[in-house]
Amino acid sequence: MTSTTTGVERELDELLGRERFAPSEGVRGRALIADGTVHAEAAQDPAAWWARQAEALDWFERWDTVLDDANPPFYRWFAGGKLNASYNCLDRHVEAGRGDRVAFHWHGEEGETRAITYAWLLEQTQRAANALEAHGVRTGDVVGIFLPMIPEVVVAMLACARIGAPHNVVFGGFSAESVKERMEFSEAKALITVDGARRKGKTAAVKRAVDAVGMPVQTTFVVRHTGVDCPMGERDVWWHEALEAAAPERAPEPLDAEHPLYILYSSGSTAKPKGILHTTGGYLTQVAWTHRHVFDLDPETDVYWCSADVGWVTGHSYIVYGPLLNGCTSVMYEGAPDYPHKGIWWELCERDGVTIFYTAPTAIRACMKWGAELPARHDLSALRLLGSVGEPINPKAWLWYWKVVGGGRCPVVDTWWQTETGGIMVTTLPGAQDAKPGSAGTPLPGIDVAVLDEDGAPVPDGRQGLLAIRRPWPGMLRTLFKDEQRYVETYFSKWPDQPGTYFVGDAARRDADGYHWVIGRVDDVINVSGHRLSTAEVESAIVAHAAVAEAAVVAQHDEDTGQAIVAFVTLAGERAGDAALEAELREHVAARIGKLARPKRIVWSADLPKTRSGKIMRRLLRDVAEGRELGDVTTLRDPAVMEELKRKVAARGDDDA
Ligand code: PRX
């Protein structure tokens, strides 16, 4: 195959019409699942089928009831069972003589490497569990974690799991303000953070930033990572000192299957993020099964790399819990995909002999831009399976991934799921099903997905509708932390005559083969580079700036990031909307939420389109931002507003001021 970008372009254009990609004989021959019998078996009795998969875990006590659905939508899986996540991730592998196996080949931004074994993780985790307890953390207390991609983040999570303290990990790209908010909402007892974090050759003084906003926790543990100047106050404890002082053994707490494992805040349609709560037994069952079978994993031989950040659910389920439950060897990279150079991912794939690679469409599109020459410089022949997650993948990016990275021999699994679902829900099983570029595939065994209309009736195949999940699944969220009402309202109130049907929030269609084509969100959630943000959250950050009277935020299609944020802003007072104010507002949003939430574009608007009752019509703003014909404007108080905005958007910012 040619490796020049233009040559590749030509080949991809030829492939664009090809609808299906069947697994090769080689792939099928070695696959754990090579036909449809598993789907059929699970469909007969999904709960019983999941119970069989739960046996892959080690339980201290077996469950009495597989699925307790007496009080929908508050479901309980494996009720009465007792287990411990850290025991399942670590002890049992070490006890079976696999302590020396590398759990993570860790690579630092500046080229350092660490081989993190299962035995090391187990010792560190036990010490950390003791250290947390020595500082007052008890079973049931929430512990915040705000760390970069370093092995200590895994230790921190598993130490919490060992003593049954639910962790609340905040993505390292969020601002200290966001961390504080999440610590407040979750009533965290302690926070585990870092002196500084490296990003593309620069060091951010994380602990200083955390101190500047003040954290509402009793203890702050600080991992020493960069050596950057780091003030330590009375409530601050160095992580390495606390671990050294702690005993190296701490028995895993036998926890109820429904004991909370973690809270992960995610954006919804209001400004307040939702504390998505996952519990232990069902969640671990689903992530272990899906990680094993969707990636067709052989823990003895595979080297797996999920390029996500641990701060997102993908990192929780498919960097930490899934891979460790399965006892496999992973790669963990601290840095950005373009640092120290744009070929670093492929360099590391070659170096560690990566066999399974899991990333997001936005990253694939970035790599496409950088050129097919970069992966071609490396020996990627060990690769045998590729995965995608986070947003719909456009067929061109799919084909590029398949051809340029996978050499045309690796199946691509496009995995659809959400923070709420805990694990993968819709995809193809690589040895058993054809892939169709752009479609995630079919519901996994034991998962009951439907496409419904507004009234809850299934829409005919080929027509767009709302994605729904009709039956509880083991990895599902159990509630929103301290907000049961919002849990019921958000997910189980769309179709009142079907109280157990989960409303996903995505539009989709199903084709005649039962493959699902996810179109995107139907609520006010924006997906920027696979990161989920709420329009309301960004709006409330913008209007908190003194110069702003009003703001409306919408998503615009973006070639690189999938969607991008456009903010329509009406100013207050005398200040003019100019480049300086635009930069200031972007920084303001970065400080309040994080850099990922900065609007790509700000359109100064003398007025916003409003109904006569004063409601902002975001639908029209979305049309303007994406250059579509405007929908009905007759309900607007002042239809002329739209003409003005159309003109400004079309002028691509030249005269925004
Ligand atoms: O809209 C869907 C999109 O991402 C949303 C979930 O976002 P989050 O909770 O942040 O989890 C992302 C990683 C699991 C979904 O509602 N989404 C995720 N994966 C896909 C997808 N859209 C299409 N295809 C996918 N494979």
Side-chain angles (χ1 to χ4, degrees):
M1 184 195 114
T2 170
S3 63
T4 65
T5 297
T6 39
V8 166
E9 280 283 328
R10 242 195 330 270
E11 289 184 48
L12 295 191
D13 282 343
E14 279 162 23
L15 282 167
L16 263 176
R18 188 163 149 198
E19 202 199 324
R20 296 170 162 276
F21 289 75
S24 67
E25 279 312 309
V27 167
R28 205 181 275 278
R30 63 145 289 172
L32 290 168
I33 297 175
D35 60 33
T37 44
V38 185
H39 286 93
E41 252 173 42
Q44 280 179 359
D45 186 346
W49 184 83
W50 278 117
R52 288 201 292 282
Q53 312 321 318
E55 280 164 14
L57 303 175
D58 276 31
W59 295 78
F60 298 133
E61 268 174 51
R62 202 182 158 80
W63 55 89
D64 319 306
T65 316
V66 177
L67 169 62
D68 170 3
D69 55 3
N71 182 27
F74 298 95
Y75 300 102
R76 295 164 72 228
W77 281 88
F78 308 116
K82 286 202 189 308
L83 77 171
N84 184 284
S86 84
Y87 180 83
N88 275 279
C89 287
L90 304 175
D91 305 58
R92 60 176 180 157
H93 304 308
V94 175
E95 285 166 12
R98 294 190 290 269
D100 292 338
R101 179 175 294 176
V102 173
F104 294 100
H105 291 291
W106 180 81
H107 299 278
E109 240 198 26
E110 301 303 332
E112 322 86 311
T113 58
R114 286 165 73 185
I116 302 298
T117 63
Y118 278 87
W120 184 87
L121 278 178
L122 177 57
E123 200 222 281
Q124 291 287 300
T125 296
Q126 298 190 78
R127 286 183 182 274
N130 285 326
L132 288 171
E133 288 188 317
H135 287 88
V137 176
R138 297 286 171 264
T139 305
D141 288 342
V142 174
V143 175
I145 298 179
F146 185 49
L147 288 172
M149 287 289 286
I150 51 177
E152 285 72 14
V153 74
V154 181
V155 172
M157 289 166 77
L158 293 178
C160 289
R162 199 162 188 91
I163 62 173
H167 52 71
N168 172 9
V169 180
V170 183
F171 168 56
F174 276 116
S175 66
E177 279 289 349
S178 288
V179 181
K180 180 182 179 184
E181 189 182 67
R182 284 158 168 76
M183 294 307 112
E184 269 164 14
F185 292 163
S186 68
E187 298 164 12
K189 190 90 169 262
L191 173 68
I192 305 169
T193 187
V194 71
D195 56 353
R198 303 189 292 192
R199 191 74 180 165
K200 299 197 194 194
K202 294 197 186 113
T203 301
V206 176
K207 174 63 167 46
R208 269 192 187 283
V210 159
D211 283 350
V213 298
M215 287 295 157
V217 293
Q218 281 179 19
T219 312
T220 302
F221 294 91
V222 185
V223 175
R224 194 163 63 196
H225 175 49
T226 60
V228 71
D229 177 40
C230 176
M232 294 293 279
E234 253 175 41
R235 292 176 311 169
D236 301 338
V237 179
W238 282 111
W239 183 248
H240 62 274
E241 287 178 3
L243 264 62
E244 270 159 34
E249 273 161 17
R250 165 60 163 96
E253 199 65 34
L255 298 166
D256 212 82
E258 284 296 342
H259 188 83
L261 180 60
Y262 66 82
I263 305 167
L264 186 56
Y265 280 86
S266 183
S267 296
S269 41
T270 69
K272 192 177 175 204
K274 299 185 288 198
I276 289 164
L277 182 103
H278 283 292
T279 59
T280 310
Y283 171 83
L284 295 180
T285 299
Q286 189 172 340
V287 298
W289 192 89
T290 50
H291 182 256
R292 182 89 194 238
H293 296 89
V294 172
F295 299 110
D296 192 37
L297 180 85
D298 179 353
E300 302 301 319
T301 55
D302 276 314
V303 179
Y304 162 89
W305 185 6
C306 167
S307 77
D309 190 284
V310 253
W312 304 107
V313 75
T314 307
H316 282 58
S317 299
Y318 298 107
I319 293 177
V320 180
Y321 290 109
L324 295 178
L325 287 169
N326 286 320
C328 87
T329 296
S330 299
V331 171
M332 186 190 255
Y333 180 48
E334 180 191 24
D338 57 351
Y339 187 86
H341 59 83
K342 293 188 169 81
I344 183 68
W345 277 7
W346 319 122
E347 183 183 314
L348 295 178
C349 277
E350 174 175 1
R351 175 167 176 173
D352 290 333
V354 171
T355 58
I356 304 169
F357 187 62
Y358 189 31
T359 194
T362 187
I364 299 165
R365 288 192 297 269
C367 293
M368 282 169 78
K369 270 203 167 155
W370 299 334
E373 294 81 356
L374 297 181
R377 261 178 224 153
H378 296 279
D379 176 4
L380 302 181
S381 58
L383 276 176
R384 60 172 198 84
L385 196 115
L386 303 171
S388 172
V389 61
E391 50 172 319
I393 181 163
N394 48 308
K396 187 115 188 221
W398 193 103
L399 289 168
W400 193 92
Y401 196 27
W402 179 78
K403 184 95 192 165
V404 176
V405 179
R409 59 171 202 283
C410 308
V412 175
V413 290
D414 176 0
T415 62
W416 177 90
W417 57 295
Q418 308 179 292
T419 310
E420 289 86 342
T421 69
I424 299 171
M425 301 291 279
V426 176
T427 187
T428 47
L429 291 176
Q433 293 174 290
D434 295 357
K436 297 188 189 185
S439 165
T442 67
L444 280 174
I447 301 294
D448 182 7
V449 170
V451 183
L452 306 179
D453 66 16
E454 285 289 332
D455 302 323
V459 303
D461 284 346
R463 291 256 291 278
Q464 182 172 329
L466 300 167
L467 208 58
I469 306 168
R470 285 189 296 204
R471 209 195 291 263
W473 65 101
M476 71 189 292
L477 79 166
R478 296 302 194 266
T479 190
L480 295 178
F481 188 66
K482 303 233 154 138
D483 207 347
E484 292 194 343
Q485 198 187 336
R486 194 176 174 197
Y487 166 71
V488 177
E489 278 167 13
T490 309
Y491 305 110
F492 294 97
S493 302
K494 176 77 185 169
W495 300 288
D497 57 337
Q498 300 175 45
T501 298
Y502 170 90
F503 172 70
V504 165
D506 281 3
R509 64 188 166 80
R510 192 175 71 173
D511 68 17
D513 298 326
Y515 279 53
H516 289 72
W517 300 73
V518 176
I519 291 148
R521 303 287 308 185
V522 293
D523 53 8
D524 293 318
V525 170
I526 307 190
N527 191 329
V528 182
S529 302
H531 298 153
R532 192 164 142 181
L533 292 158
S534 118
T535 54
E537 203 175 349
V538 181
E539 281 168 10
S540 93
I542 296 175
V543 296
H545 190 283
V548 175
E550 201 169 34
V553 163
V554 297
Q556 180 182 41
H557 175 75
D558 188 276
E559 215 172 275
D560 300 325
T561 57
Q563 292 191 312
I565 297 173
V566 183
F568 294 85
V569 175
T570 307
L571 293 174
E574 296 306 303
R575 252 187 105 174
D578 53 18
L581 184 54
E582 175 158 355
E584 202 176 306
L585 277 185
R586 283 165 50 79
E587 273 324 295
H588 174 78
V589 173
R592 293 190 80 95
I593 305 176
K595 282 187 178 162
L596 67 167
R598 285 180 305 194
K600 179 157 184 192
R601 185 160 182 219
I602 292 178
V603 182
W604 308 114
S605 318
D607 202 357
L608 293 170
K610 288 188 192 135
T611 59
R612 288 186 189 92
S613 60
K615 204 168 166 268
I616 298 176
M617 291 193 70
R618 287 184 180 72
R619 176 173 59 76
L620 292 177
L621 292 173
R622 281 196 290 269
D623 288 343
V624 163
E626 300 204 320
R628 280 190 298 269
E629 276 299 306
L630 289 188
D632 185 10
V633 294
T634 52
T635 53
L636 283 185
R637 194 169 56 195
D638 177 8
V641 170
M642 289 316 297
E643 286 310 311
E644 172 70 3
L645 289 180
K646 248 167 87 177
R647 191 183 60 73
K648 284 195 169 172
V649 170
R652 290 235 54 92
D654 303 342
D655 65 352
D656 277 358

